[in-house]
């Protein structure tokens, strides 16, 4: 052997040389002394065993005892002996190598150990718990000799920690296959399994023969038998039933029974794993479906809170690590020449990342452009009108380049999501990918279209609209000259920030919410008014989940309405909208009679909306996702404005 100062390695070598795990202490001391003298020049560290052999050796042995690598015993022939546990592990491992070649060799059991072997060397474990744990996470070592406790008081199997649990299952399957290949067993058990599956005899026969005839792929067959676990359990049950009736077991009978127990445990493990995997895959499909629904962009915090159709959180049906792996694969996978299926973008004013499927980006940009056109136009009209009223002027009123810059700034303020998408690094690549399919293009000559074209805005029309809002006497020369002298503000007060509609809306909602809080303090807690106030408060809190901070509830409703109500005739369009609103109002009015404030949750709103969208009248309307979102927003609006 190679030169070493490792006492355990020397003990294993000495034990293997004498072919016994029980090493006499004095004999090993003599061997260690000679070994140290012979290899001192190669290993100067061996000098400690020459200067103080007993003291230094005892220190090393104490460490090995603490790590359960050896046992010191003075009960064997009244001499101090060292019991080398790794020796038993190596011998047991050799036994499994023999079983791999010849499956008829019995499993090693405790009675195979020498009589003087102390039972402390065996770590007892339930076979079911051990196999499940090791299949989940396994680390091989030469430190432990397990005694796997079998069901129904069958003899425990010795199993070394330096062999994979897969080898144990393979050995068990090989034993079962070896038994079933015998003519009397083959026909007998094949007939039983076919007889108990009427109408599926061919399936049962193919399963049985597929297992018996493929010894090299037994574990793969077992682990991949998603549709055949019932047949596995049937086969194990029939074999176990017959062998448990035997009164006087031969070693072969006992080994087959142990093998069928292990096979049954492994089948249960793979079955449970298949159920968990199916549940996880279903949850991930639900996740993908939810990511494909309005508003199409979601933060990681939003994704974590997703629920399935039964209101059960998806996180739990898959682990957080599996969720992160899914998002990573979706955001980095795909063809090397194409963008990933799921893209990530960030809003400059927020420390958040949003996920969005690339096939939803154009659809979202078009909707947000429609929304932003209204908000940006209103903001500019008010600002320009106020500027003209103060007899002042702005560069963007006269210069197209300044006008484009102003539109870009307003889009960044009024619709941060739209601005983040338009300025994202992936949009040009996405536009190039879809260049042959897009009916609407966002680029011309490799450059993003001007914001005035994206928002369909004309500078001259905006100036005209702003002037129309001025009092008539602004057009009379003398009066306008006098008013200019009086009303023209100093430079320090010019171009003062004008609050957006969203900011004014938030302030108004905050005031209304405070009024409801004050009212709730003076009414009885059990009164109808208190319940209505509670519902209104709950609706305002939930609104933040559905309405971005830069938008308003009415603006979002109008945006989604334009997606599902595509009738161009004004009267017909208004009638359809009113029919939908009436249906929602009637249903919500009936539901609110018994609803408590604590029961008004996002999940409850989702359930109500799904029920209404499935009604015959609503199913005739296209754009199911937009209609669903509109329904949820309209429910919030109705509850938020319940009359007291």
């Amino acid at each position: 052997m190679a030169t070493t100062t490792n006492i355990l390695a020397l003990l294993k070598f000495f034990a293997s040389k004498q072919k016994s795990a029980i090493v006499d202490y004095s004999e090993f001391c003599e061997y260690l002394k000679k070994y140290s003298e012979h290899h001192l020049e190669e290993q100067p560290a061996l000098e400690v065993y020459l200067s103080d052999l007993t003291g230094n050796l005892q220190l090393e042995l104490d460490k090995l005892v603490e790590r359960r690598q050896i046992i010191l015993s003075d009960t064997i022939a009244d001499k101090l002996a060292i019991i080398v546990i790794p020796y038993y592990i190596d011998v047991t491992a050799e036994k499994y190598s023999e079983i791999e070649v010849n499956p008829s060799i019995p499993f090693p059991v405790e009675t195979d150990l020498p009589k003087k072997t102390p039972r402390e060397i065996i770590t007892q474990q339930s076979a079911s718990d051990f196999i499940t744990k090791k299949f989940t996470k396994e680390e091989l070592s030469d430190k432990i000799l397990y005694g796997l406790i079998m069901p129904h008081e069958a003899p425990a199997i010795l199993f070394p920690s330096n062999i994979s649990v897969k080898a144990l299952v393979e050995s068990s399957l090989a034993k079962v296959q070896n038994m079933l290949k015998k003519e009397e067993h083959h026909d007998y058990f094949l007939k039983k399994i076919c007889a108990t599956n009427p109408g599926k005899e061919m399936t049962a026969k193919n399963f049985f023969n597929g297992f018996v005839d493929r010894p090299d792929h037994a574990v793969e067959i077992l682990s991949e038998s998603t549709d055949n676990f019932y047949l596995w359990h049937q086969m194990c049950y029939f074999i176990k039933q017959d062998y448990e009736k035997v009164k006087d077991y031969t070693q072969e009978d006992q080994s087959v029974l142990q093998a069928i127990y292990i096979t049954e445990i492994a089948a249960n493990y793979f079955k449970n794993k298949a159920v968990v995997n199916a549940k996880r895959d279903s949850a991930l499909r639900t996740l993908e479906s939810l990511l494909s629904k309005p508003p199409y962009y979601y933060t990681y915090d939003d994704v974590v809170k997703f629920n399935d159709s039964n209101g059960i959180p998806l996180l739990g049906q898959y682990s957080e690590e599996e969720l992160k792996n899914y998002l990573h694969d979706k955001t980095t996978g795909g063809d090397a020449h194409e963008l990933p299926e799921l893209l990530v973008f960030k809003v400059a004013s927020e420390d958040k990342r949003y996920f969005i499927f690339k096939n939803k980006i154009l659809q979202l940009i078009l909707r947000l452009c429609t929304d932003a056109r209204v908000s940006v136009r209103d903001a500019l009209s008010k600002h320009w009108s106020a500027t003209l009223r103060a007899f002042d002027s702005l560069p963007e009123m006269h210069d197209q380049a300044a006008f484009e810059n102003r539109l870009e700034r307003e889009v960044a303020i009024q619709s941060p999501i739209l601005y983040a998408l338009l300025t994202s690094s992936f949009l040009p690549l996405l536009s190039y990918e879809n260049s042959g399919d897009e009916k609407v293009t966002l680029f011309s000559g490799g450059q993003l279209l001007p914001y005035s074209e994206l928002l369909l805005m004309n500078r001259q029309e905006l100036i005209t609209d702003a002037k129309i809002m001025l009092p008539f006497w602004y057009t009379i020369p003398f009066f306008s000259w006098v008013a200019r002298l009086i009303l023209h503000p100093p430079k320090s007060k010019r171009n003062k920030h004008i609050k957006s509609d969203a900011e004014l809306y938030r302030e108004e909602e905050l005031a209304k919410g405070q009024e409801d809080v004050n009212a709730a303090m003076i009414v009885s807690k059990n009164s109808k008014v208190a319940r209505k106030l509670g519902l209104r408060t709950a609706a305002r809190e939930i609104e933040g989940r559905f309405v971005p901070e830069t938008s308003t509830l009415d603006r979002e409703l109008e945006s989604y309405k334009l997606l599902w109500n595509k009738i161009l005739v004004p009267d017909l369009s208004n009638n359809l909208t009113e029919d939908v609103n009436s249906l929602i109002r009637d249903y919500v009015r009936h539901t609110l009679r018994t609803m408590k404030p604590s029961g008004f949750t996002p999940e409850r709103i989702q359930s109500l909306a799904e029920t209404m969208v499935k009604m015959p009248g609503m199913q005739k309307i296209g754009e199911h996702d937009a209609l669903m979102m509109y329904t949820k927003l309209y429910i919030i609006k109705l509850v938020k404005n319940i009359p007291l």
Side-chain angles (χ1 to χ4, degrees):
M1 62 174 291
T3 306
T4 179
T5 57
N6 187 318
I7 294 299
L8 181 61
L10 292 173
L11 281 168
K12 288 171 64 176
F13 176 74
F14 191 76
S16 63
K17 189 176 180 182
Q18 67 176 22
K19 297 183 179 180
S20 173
I22 303 174
V23 175
D24 184 271
Y25 180 81
S26 58
E27 290 180 6
F28 181 72
C29 286
E30 185 179 345
Y31 166 76
L32 180 59
K33 183 178 179 181
K34 291 180 179 179
Y35 180 87
S36 300
E37 291 173 348
H38 187 266
H39 295 286
L40 182 60
E41 291 184 5
E42 302 171 45
Q43 287 289 327
L46 292 170
E47 186 179 357
V48 297
Y49 300 114
L50 295 176
S51 60
D52 183 9
L53 175 61
T54 306
N56 289 307
L57 176 59
Q58 190 61 46
L59 288 175
E60 293 295 326
L61 294 179
D62 289 342
K63 293 177 183 177
L64 294 175
V65 170
E66 187 178 347
R67 300 205 305 262
R68 288 181 57 84
Q69 296 289 281
I70 65 170
I71 294 175
L72 295 177
S73 174
D74 57 2
T75 61
I76 302 174
D78 296 326
K79 293 181 179 181
L80 182 61
I82 305 170
I83 301 169
V84 186
I85 297 177
Y87 176 82
Y88 291 110
I89 294 174
D90 291 341
V91 170
T92 309
E94 289 177 9
K95 190 79 169 180
Y96 278 92
S97 298
E98 295 172 7
I99 294 174
E100 185 178 353
V101 177
N102 182 7
S104 62
I105 296 175
F107 283 121
V109 294
E110 292 185 25
T111 55
D112 295 339
L113 297 173
K115 291 182 179 180
K116 296 180 181 180
T117 304
R119 290 299 178 261
E120 298 94 298
I121 70 166
I122 301 173
T123 301
Q124 300 288 349
Q125 286 247 338
S126 162
S128 177
D129 295 341
F130 176 82
I131 292 172
T132 300
K133 181 174 68 175
K134 292 299 181 180
F135 264 133
T136 304
K137 183 179 181 181
E138 184 173 39
E139 295 179 3
L140 301 181
S141 69
D142 61 350
K143 296 180 179 180
I144 306 174
L145 180 63
Y146 292 102
L148 302 184
I149 302 171
M150 295 285 107
H152 303 289
E153 300 182 355
I157 294 175
L158 294 180
F159 187 72
S161 59
N162 60 352
I163 294 218
S164 169
V165 71
K166 181 181 177 182
L168 174 63
V169 176
E170 285 177 339
S171 298
S172 301
L173 291 169
K175 288 180 177 297
V176 176
Q177 287 173 322
N178 191 51
M179 180 270 292
L180 292 176
K181 284 178 181 178
K182 296 177 181 179
E183 187 174 347
E184 66 275 15
H185 290 137
H186 182 280
D187 296 342
Y188 172 71
F189 287 111
L190 176 59
K191 185 177 180 180
K192 289 192 75 170
I193 199 170
C194 289
T196 53
N197 290 278
K200 297 182 179 179
E201 291 86 352
M202 188 56 67
T203 301
K205 184 176 181 180
N206 290 339
F207 157 77
F208 187 87
N209 290 330
F211 166 62
V212 173
D213 298 336
R214 293 181 62 190
D216 298 334
H217 304 281
V219 173
E220 285 73 14
I221 294 172
L222 178 60
S223 62
E224 296 171 1
S225 299
T226 309
D227 301 324
N228 292 329
F229 283 118
Y230 177 71
L231 295 174
W232 273 108
H233 286 290
Q234 271 194 327
M235 184 179 72
C236 290
Y237 173 76
F238 292 141
I239 298 173
K240 185 172 62 174
Q241 187 183 47
D242 274 44
Y243 272 83
E244 285 179 347
K245 293 177 182 178
V246 177
K247 293 183 179 180
D248 297 322
Y249 288 113
T250 64
Q251 275 195 325
E252 183 181 1
D253 293 339
Q254 179 180 284
S255 187
V256 170
L257 191 56
Q258 291 168 327
I260 206 65
Y261 286 145
I262 292 172
T263 301
E264 195 170 37
I265 292 169
N268 275 326
Y269 168 79
F270 287 119
K271 175 190 173 184
N272 293 335
K273 185 179 179 181
V275 170
V276 171
N277 289 343
K279 187 176 180 181
R280 180 201 61 208
D281 293 342
S282 176
L284 290 175
R285 286 193 296 271
T286 301
L287 169 65
E288 187 167 341
S289 173
L290 292 173
L291 285 171
S292 300
K293 293 183 178 181
Y296 304 128
Y297 57 94
Y298 298 93
T299 64
Y300 181 76
D301 290 339
D302 295 331
V303 173
V304 168
K305 296 175 183 176
F306 280 163
N307 297 330
D308 62 17
S309 58
N310 297 319
I312 301 172
L314 292 179
L315 188 61
Q317 300 179 47
Y318 47 67
S319 66
E320 188 167 2
E321 183 180 358
E322 288 171 335
L323 171 61
K324 289 180 179 179
N325 290 338
Y326 169 84
L327 294 175
H328 179 267
D329 291 342
K330 288 290 184 180
T331 53
T332 58
D335 194 296
H337 303 290
E338 292 184 355
L339 288 169
E341 188 178 355
L342 191 66
L343 299 175
V344 183
F345 67 94
K346 188 176 180 181
V347 176
S349 59
E350 301 177 10
D351 188 24
K352 295 178 182 177
R353 294 192 312 157
Y354 291 91
F355 297 94
I356 183 171
F357 278 112
K358 67 178 182 180
N359 60 346
K360 298 295 182 181
I361 289 178
L362 180 60
Q363 183 178 351
L364 177 60
I365 287 177
L366 294 177
R367 181 175 74 81
L368 293 179
C369 280
T370 303
D371 297 346
R373 183 177 187 278
V374 177
S375 57
V376 170
R377 187 182 183 88
D378 289 346
L380 287 181
S381 295
K382 289 179 181 178
H383 188 199
W384 287 12
S385 180
T387 301
L388 293 173
R389 191 183 293 269
F391 295 97
D392 203 353
S393 180
L394 296 169
E396 55 261 33
M397 293 180 178
H398 312 289
D399 181 63
Q400 186 63 27
F403 178 63
E404 296 293 344
N405 291 335
R406 176 60 189 276
L407 288 178
E408 183 175 355
R409 293 198 304 272
E410 282 297 327
V411 168
I413 295 170
Q414 302 290 347
S415 185
I417 299 296
L418 174 61
Y419 185 72
L421 289 172
L422 292 176
T423 56
S424 64
S425 58
F426 56 72
L427 189 62
L429 299 174
L430 181 64
S431 181
Y432 177 77
E433 277 187 20
N434 299 335
S435 57
D437 302 327
E438 285 187 7
K439 296 180 180 179
V440 179
T441 181
L442 301 175
F443 289 83
S444 177
Q447 297 293 323
L448 184 69
L449 292 175
Y451 280 83
S452 58
E453 292 188 33
L454 292 173
L455 301 178
L456 301 177
M457 284 192 186
N458 184 280
R459 180 168 53 86
Q460 294 299 332
E461 289 181 1
L462 280 172
I463 293 176
T464 302
D465 292 344
K467 288 181 178 180
I468 290 174
M469 298 171 66
L470 297 174
F472 77 94
W473 45 268
Y474 269 69
T475 59
I476 303 175
F478 176 75
F479 287 101
S480 62
W481 179 77
V482 174
R484 180 183 179 86
L485 294 177
I486 299 172
L487 301 177
H488 189 59
K491 284 187 177 181
S492 60
K493 295 186 178 180
R494 295 179 192 176
N495 300 326
K496 185 179 178 181
H497 172 70
I498 299 176
K499 293 182 179 179
S500 66
D501 290 343
E503 291 173 322
L504 294 173
Y505 174 76
R506 294 284 177 271
E507 292 178 0
E508 183 181 348
E509 287 302 308
L510 186 62
K512 288 181 179 179
Q514 189 58 48
E515 289 177 5
D516 285 351
V517 170
N518 295 335
M521 296 173 65
I522 61 175
V523 299
S524 172
K525 292 184 179 180
N526 298 322
S527 66
K528 292 183 179 180
V529 174
R531 188 177 69 86
K532 292 180 179 180
L533 288 171
L535 286 169
R536 287 181 9 172
T537 301
R540 287 196 178 89
E541 292 175 355
I542 295 171
E543 182 182 352
R545 293 272 300 271
F546 295 93
V547 180
E549 292 184 2
T550 55
S551 186
T552 67
L553 180 57
D554 287 337
R555 189 186 299 169
E556 292 296 302
L557 280 167
E558 183 65 21
S559 173
Y560 286 109
K561 186 193 78 172
L562 293 175
L563 293 177
W564 61 263
N565 189 347
K566 297 181 179 180
I567 299 178
L568 299 178
V569 181
D571 290 342
L572 296 178
S573 176
N574 293 336
N575 289 340
L576 177 59
T577 302
E578 183 54 33
D579 289 342
V580 170
N581 291 347
S582 297
L583 182 61
I584 299 172
R585 281 197 302 269
D586 292 342
Y587 192 85
V588 170
R589 187 183 299 113
H590 175 75
T591 305
L592 290 180
R593 291 174 183 171
T594 56
M595 185 179 292
K596 296 180 180 179
S598 59
F600 191 71
T601 61
E603 292 75 21
R604 181 59 171 156
I605 293 174
Q606 177 73 24
S607 175
L608 292 172
E610 287 178 351
T611 301
M612 282 183 275
V613 170
K614 291 178 182 177
M615 292 180 177
M618 299 278 264
Q619 284 186 330
K620 297 178 181 179
I621 301 173
E623 298 293 343
H624 179 273
D625 290 341
L627 181 60
M628 173 72 76
M629 198 68 183
Y630 178 88
T631 304
K632 290 190 283 190
L633 292 171
Y634 197 71
I635 290 173
I636 293 173
K637 181 176 180 178
L638 292 174
V639 176
K640 196 175 70 169
N641 294 291
I642 295 176
L644 299 179

